[in-house]
Amino acid sequence: MTKLIQNKIVEAIKRYQTIIIHRHQRPDPDAVGSQCGLRDLIKNTFPQKTVLAAGSSPGSLKFLAEMDQVQDEDYADSLVIVTDTANASRIDDDRYNQADHVIKIDHHPSNPDGDYAHLTWEESSYSSCSEMIGELWLNHQDELKMNDAAARLLYAGIVGDTNRFLYNATSPQTMRIAADLMTYEFDHTEINDLMNRIGEKEALLMGYVLNNLKILESGMAYIIINQELLQELGIQDEHTQSIVSLPRRIEGVVTWAIFVQQDNGSYRCRLRSNGPVINHIAAEHDGGGHALASGANAKDQDEIDIMIDKLSKAAESFNKVYK
Ligand SMILES: [Mn+2]
């Protein structure tokens, strides 16, 4: 089944002269890696085609790749491929639907709002969308020609989503694909260092989180970062990415949440787990995502309290079974 869809994707790539690749808003390394890795793979194989990466600037991830200028006219008779994006509302640049044909390639669990493409390759068993693109290439090496730039991007995407091959979704196949990508010429140590590097202000935020994290008896941990604190530390919402996996290492922590207040007063919530599935909780609060790593939104402190309670109960029932 997977091979059949992969064949269809390669056929579509061959058929279209203009191919525009989209990914999700607020991109992480896997979003940029899968998007621009696929762009460079197609460009390298078909130099005569127009292949563009759409979306806002990747900000602190600019060292990975830059986006292209995409004009409205480019969408006429084009193929759009959306990578790493579970639902339509998260796609960066909604002109994607002006394409002649839309393909979705994603490793998130299926989403009620996720049926936005004509052809969908969706499988949550993959560690990353970059791993999916890597496999697409490996299964079609006669038709798709890898180069150093694309290999570097796909490798970075895999490293990003697996947190350096640490997370549970890392499989033998993940390692095989990463190994094949590493045979190309790029500095993998440099990429790892750049992705792991934090600014001085982020280091201060880390210190704050470790000092102020609330850990409940159940093993649920949380921190609320309001606008005042962001201003005091001189940081923006995007910098809070560096603290999301911090509580994971603390003994006894089962579930945790990072709440970051937005300009409009509401809160962006990252929910994480070392065991119990928590994405249904995210889904109940305007969000969704992976079983153990989800995103949600809370309109006020009351909603935060409800989410803390749910995550705490999830930790409690998990402890009853496993401790
Ligand atoms: Mn991903």
Side-chain angles (χ1 to χ4, degrees), residues 24 28-31 34 84-85 106-108 127-130 157 161 290:
H24 62 76
D28 54 19
D30 184 39
S34 59
D84 199 38
T85 311
D106 185 37
H107 71 122
H108 292 88
S127 71
S128 52
C129 193
S130 297
D161 259 24
H290 301 284

Coordinates of all heavy atoms in Angstrom, one line a residue, residues 24 28-31 34 84-85 106-108 127-130 157 161 290, ligand 1:
H24 N 4.2 23.2 7.8 CA 3.3 23.9 8.8 C 3.9 25.2 9.3 O 5.1 25.5 9.2 CB 3.0 22.9 10.0 CG 4.2 22.5 10.8 ND1 4.9 23.2 11.7 CD2 4.8 21.3 10.8 CE1 5.8 22.5 12.3 NE2 5.9 21.3 11.7
D28 N 9.5 23.6 12.7 CA 10.6 23.0 13.4 C 11.6 22.4 12.4 O 11.3 22.4 11.2 CB 10.1 21.9 14.4 CG 9.2 20.9 13.7 OD1 9.3 20.8 12.5 OD2 8.4 20.2 14.4
P29 N 12.7 21.8 12.8 CA 13.7 21.3 11.8 C 13.1 20.2 10.9 O 13.5 20.1 9.7 CB 14.8 20.7 12.7 CG 14.7 21.5 14.0 CD 13.3 21.8 14.2
D30 N 12.1 19.4 11.4 CA 11.5 18.4 10.5 C 10.7 19.0 9.4 O 10.6 18.6 8.3 CB 10.7 17.4 11.3 CG 10.2 16.2 10.4 OD1 10.9 15.8 9.5 OD2 9.1 15.8 10.6
A31 N 10.0 20.1 9.8 CA 9.1 20.8 8.8 C 10.0 21.4 7.7 O 9.8 21.1 6.5 CB 8.3 21.9 9.5
S34 N 12.0 18.4 5.8 CA 11.3 17.6 4.8 C 10.9 18.5 3.6 O 10.9 18.0 2.5 CB 10.0 17.0 5.5 OG 9.2 18.0 6.0
D84 N 4.7 17.3 6.6 CA 4.7 17.4 8.1 C 3.5 18.2 8.7 O 3.7 18.7 9.8 CB 6.1 18.0 8.5 CG 6.4 17.8 10.0 OD1 6.1 16.7 10.5 OD2 6.9 18.7 10.6
T85 N 2.4 18.2 8.0 CA 1.3 19.1 8.4 C 0.0 18.3 8.6 O -0.5 17.9 7.5 CB 1.1 20.3 7.5 OG1 2.4 20.9 7.2 CG2 0.2 21.3 8.1
D106 N 2.8 13.1 5.6 CA 2.8 13.4 7.0 C 2.9 12.2 7.9 O 2.4 11.1 7.6 CB 1.6 14.3 7.3 CG 1.6 14.8 8.8 OD1 2.7 15.1 9.2 OD2 0.6 14.8 9.4
H107 N 3.5 12.4 9.1 CA 3.7 11.3 10.0 C 2.9 11.6 11.3 O 3.1 10.9 12.3 CB 5.2 11.1 10.3 CG 5.8 12.2 11.2 ND1 6.4 12.0 12.4 CD2 5.9 13.5 11.0 CE1 6.8 13.1 12.9 NE2 6.5 14.1 12.0
H108 N 2.0 12.6 11.3 CA 1.2 12.8 12.5 C 0.0 11.8 12.4 O -0.4 11.4 11.4 CB 0.6 14.2 12.5 CG 1.7 15.2 12.8 ND1 2.4 15.8 11.7 CD2 2.2 15.8 13.9 CE1 3.3 16.6 12.2 NE2 3.2 16.7 13.6
S127 N 9.3 8.2 12.3 CA 9.9 9.1 13.3 C 9.7 10.6 12.9 O 9.5 11.4 13.7 CB 11.4 8.9 13.5 OG 12.1 9.4 12.3
S128 N 9.7 10.8 11.6 CA 9.7 12.2 11.1 C 9.2 12.2 9.6 O 9.3 11.1 9.0 CB 11.1 12.7 11.1 OG 12.0 11.8 10.5
C129 N 8.8 13.3 9.2 CA 8.4 13.4 7.8 C 9.7 13.3 6.9 O 9.6 12.8 5.8 CB 7.7 14.7 7.5 SG 6.9 14.8 6.0
S130 N 10.8 13.8 7.4 CA 12.1 13.7 6.7 C 12.4 12.2 6.4 O 13.0 11.9 5.4 CB 13.2 14.4 7.5 OG 12.9 15.8 7.6
G157 N 16.2 17.0 9.7 CA 14.8 16.8 10.1 C 14.6 15.6 11.0 O 13.9 15.6 12.0
D161 N 13.3 15.7 14.9 CA 12.1 15.1 15.5 C 12.3 13.9 16.4 O 11.5 13.5 17.2 CB 11.2 14.6 14.3 CG 10.0 15.6 14.1 OD1 10.2 16.8 14.5 OD2 9.0 15.2 13.5
H290 N 1.0 14.2 18.3 CA 1.4 12.8 18.5 C 1.0 12.3 19.9 O 0.6 13.1 20.8 CB 3.0 12.8 18.5 CG 3.5 13.3 17.2 ND1 3.5 12.5 16.0 CD2 4.1 14.4 16.9 CE1 4.1 13.2 15.1 NE2 4.5 14.4 15.5
Ligands
MN1 MN 7.6 16.1 12.1

